[in-house]
Amino acid sequence: MLSQLLFNNPQGALDLAKGLVNAEGGPLIDIQATAEAFLSSNRVQETTAFLLEALKDNKQEHAYLQTKLLEINLIGGAPQVADAIMQQGILTHYDRPHVGKLCERAGMWQRAAEHYTEIADIKRVFKNSHQMNPEFVVSYFGKLNAEQSVALLKDMMSRGPQNMQVCVEVAKKYHDELGSEQLIGVFENAKATEGLYYYLGAVVNSSEDAFVHFKYIQSSCMLGQFKEAERVCRDSNIYNPEEVKQYLKGAKLPDPRPLIHVCDRYDFVDELTDYLYLNSLLQYVEVYVTKVSPQKTPQVVGKLLDLGANEDFIKRILMAVGTACPVEEMVEVAETRNRLRLLQPWLEARVATGSTEAGTHNALGKIYITLNRDPKAFLLNNMFYDPKVLGPYCESLDPQLAFIAYKKGAGECDEELIKVANTHGLFRDLAKYLVERQDLDLWAKVLNKPEEEPEDAEEDPKRRQ
């Protein structure tokens, strides 16, 4: 009867079949036989409607029929119907691998992927990931274990740059689960430096992994993103300074500011100066001492002197740094290399700005004394040098100048003054000084023999003149 009705009134046959399958006490017809009857008349739509009604209880025993329902639509030219059924999630016992293959044949890549668990099948479907919704692709990785995820990412990246952006999003979302080392390896194996840069850029600020920070600096430099490399080198406390320094030196960047910050922060100043000088990046030497660390100018100048750098260049950077350079350290660096005269323009400029630092005036005094540039006037008129520094400096050059310097000490250098006067026979100057001081104790100290002198030692007659 159902077969005859199918020929004359398909809708009536469907209504009858639905009624019989929903009868009280259980179906009054065989579900499989009825479905085959509809199919034998090529009634795919009616077969679908009947099976949806008959299988609505989603029983395990109907697994074959659930599979059949999806199969007839996927093969029969109505994949959108099968898609809608799967979207509703009302059937769960069908043969998933089989339906997955049918979805794949129908070009339903996302549905196919949902039905596979074997990584080989998943990789095959994801060859078409560029045709999938990127949000679906990212969320799909949440269903895979770490090993499967890394394998799939490698496969996707090996297929060209069209997958790079979605792979970056996957790496960013599952960074903690998959681990930075493996994810970095995925991008590096595919030579996808840009992908690596964008992935690491999303995690570097919150990561405490030195490897992540190093690789971000490296990828930034490789892409010419020197500002980002500079930012991390300047602000990060996570990276390994030695490792980063060696990489940056070997990379020979046209912009060495990332290296400048690493070397400044971790006291590789000599190496930095050496690198900049030997690579003809002298303008960055000036940038370093004027903009980054003026207080390290003495170290830089010392290294430049050791390297035989042009004196005019050294003078120029000293003038550019000006009073921001610590004078005591700078003078020590120059003196130990016998290059104090090099500092003359810089020291005179400091004095011209009103500097009263003893170190500045001491150094300038040494230069004037060495050059014999009216040193007596300097020692008499300058109010800011330290007699205890310039006095000893003068002794080997001109004891008379030493006496003037000690005299400037206003009593603080009396011991030294008396000694230099006695040693070099400056008795008239000493007598005049004693008269000016009018200090009986000082007179006694000069006229009495020193304790260490023997009683029978001959006294220089000029001492009593």
Side-chain angles (χ1 to χ4, degrees), residues 6 62 148 167 202 216 270 304 337 351 374 396 406 413:
L6 265 171
H62 293 151
Q148 289 175 321
C167 288
Y216 185 61
D270 279 0
L304 288 172
R337 291 165 174 81
V351 172
D374 203 2
S396 60
Y406 289 137
C413 301

Side-chain angles (χ1 to χ4, degrees), residues 38 42 140 195 460:
F38 277 106
N42 202 28
Y140 185 82
D460 189 333

Side-chain angles (χ1 to χ4, degrees), residues 248-275:
L248 293 173
K249 286 175 65 178
K252 295 191 181 298
L253 306 178
D255 184 341
R257 276 175 282 199
L259 177 64
I260 286 174
H261 286 292
V262 174
C263 292
D264 177 61
R265 294 181 64 195
Y266 296 98
D267 202 25
F268 301 132
V269 178
D270 279 0
E271 283 187 71
L272 172 65
T273 308
D274 185 81
Y275 174 86

Side-chain angles (χ1 to χ4, degrees), residues 393-435:
Y393 183 79
C394 293
E395 284 193 33
S396 60
L397 299 172
D398 187 336
Q400 186 73 49
L401 294 177
F403 187 91
I404 295 171
Y406 289 137
K407 184 177 178 182
K408 195 77 171 183
E412 292 187 6
C413 301
D414 285 347
E415 294 279 352
E416 294 87 344
L417 182 145
I418 295 168
K419 183 178 179 182
V420 76
N422 287 333
T423 303
H424 297 282
L426 303 176
F427 300 118
R428 291 184 182 278
D429 295 305
L430 179 58
K432 186 177 178 182
Y433 176 70
L434 293 173
V435 171

Side-chain angles (χ1 to χ4, degrees), residues 73 86 241 265 318 400:
N73 283 282
M86 289 183 281
R265 294 181 64 195
L318 278 171
Q400 186 73 49

Side-chain angles (χ1 to χ4, degrees), residues 31-305:
I31 298 175
Q32 184 172 340
T34 304
E36 289 174 354
F38 277 106
L39 278 176
S40 64
S41 298
N42 202 28
R43 294 291 179 178
V44 175
Q45 185 174 344
E46 286 79 6
T47 305
T48 300
F50 168 70
L51 285 175
L52 283 173
E53 184 66 27
L55 304 178
K56 62 185 179 183
D57 292 334
N58 190 26
K59 295 180 180 179
Q60 174 68 46
E61 62 197 69
H62 293 151
Y64 171 79
L65 292 172
Q66 289 185 7
T67 304
K68 195 68 176 177
L69 169 59
L70 296 171
E71 182 183 271
I72 60 176
N73 283 282
L74 289 167
I75 295 176
Q80 70 278 6
V81 175
D83 186 58
I85 294 170
M86 289 183 281
Q87 180 67 32
Q88 293 174 23
I90 56 177
L91 305 177
T92 60
H93 301 295
Y94 59 86
D95 185 340
R96 295 184 68 82
H98 177 65
V99 170
K101 286 184 171 61
L102 296 177
C103 290
E104 193 175 346
R105 290 177 194 168
M108 298 167 59
W109 313 118
Q110 292 183 192
R111 287 291 176 213
E114 289 176 339
H115 287 76
Y116 288 140
T117 56
E118 295 297 323
I119 191 62
D121 295 326
I122 296 170
K123 284 182 179 180
R124 186 178 64 251
V125 174
F126 268 75
K127 290 179 182 178
N128 304 284
S129 59
H130 58 284
Q131 298 182 40
M132 298 180 187
N133 185 312
E135 293 180 1
F136 168 82
V137 174
V138 174
S139 64
Y140 185 82
F141 276 81
K143 304 174 183 178
L144 306 178
N145 61 41
E147 184 179 352
Q148 289 175 321
S149 295
V150 171
L152 182 54
L153 278 173
K154 286 181 178 178
D155 193 68
M156 289 174 67
M157 287 300 300
S158 70
R159 301 187 185 283
Q162 69 269 21
N163 289 326
M164 185 187 72
Q165 187 171 350
V166 71
C167 288
V168 168
E169 294 304 316
V170 170
K172 285 158 61 174
K173 183 167 184 178
Y174 302 104
H175 166 76
D176 292 333
E177 293 83 355
L178 302 181
S180 56
E181 190 169 344
Q182 289 208 86
L183 289 170
I184 289 169
V186 167
F187 290 106
E188 288 190 327
N189 289 339
K191 295 181 170 55
T193 305
E194 188 176 357
L196 179 62
Y197 170 75
Y198 286 118
Y199 152 57
L200 293 175
V203 302
V204 68
N205 291 340
S206 58
S207 172
E208 295 188 1
D209 185 342
F211 188 58
V212 167
H213 286 246
F214 170 68
K215 285 297 179 179
Y216 185 61
I217 292 168
Q218 187 181 60
S219 60
S220 298
C221 293
M222 292 172 71
L223 294 174
Q225 299 291 336
F226 302 123
K227 288 288 185 186
E228 269 302 284
E230 181 184 359
R231 179 186 69 82
V232 178
C233 289
R234 182 187 65 236
D235 299 339
S236 169
N237 295 316
I238 306 300
Y239 62 80
N240 181 311
E242 182 67 29
E243 180 182 37
V244 173
K245 179 197 69 177
Q246 291 299 341
Y247 165 73
L248 293 173
K249 286 175 65 178
K252 295 191 181 298
L253 306 178
D255 184 341
R257 276 175 282 199
L259 177 64
I260 286 174
H261 286 292
V262 174
C263 292
D264 177 61
R265 294 181 64 195
Y266 296 98
D267 202 25
F268 301 132
V269 178
D270 279 0
E271 283 187 71
L272 172 65
T273 308
D274 185 81
Y275 174 86
L276 295 176
Y277 179 78
L278 295 178
N279 287 279
S280 302
L281 295 167
L282 295 182
Q283 70 272 29
Y284 286 101
V285 175
E286 190 166 346
V287 168
Y288 175 60
V289 295
T290 57
K291 305 291 186 184
V292 181
S293 284
Q295 71 275 14
K296 293 183 181 176
T297 303
Q299 278 182 269
V300 173
V301 170
K303 186 62 177 178
L304 288 172
L305 289 171

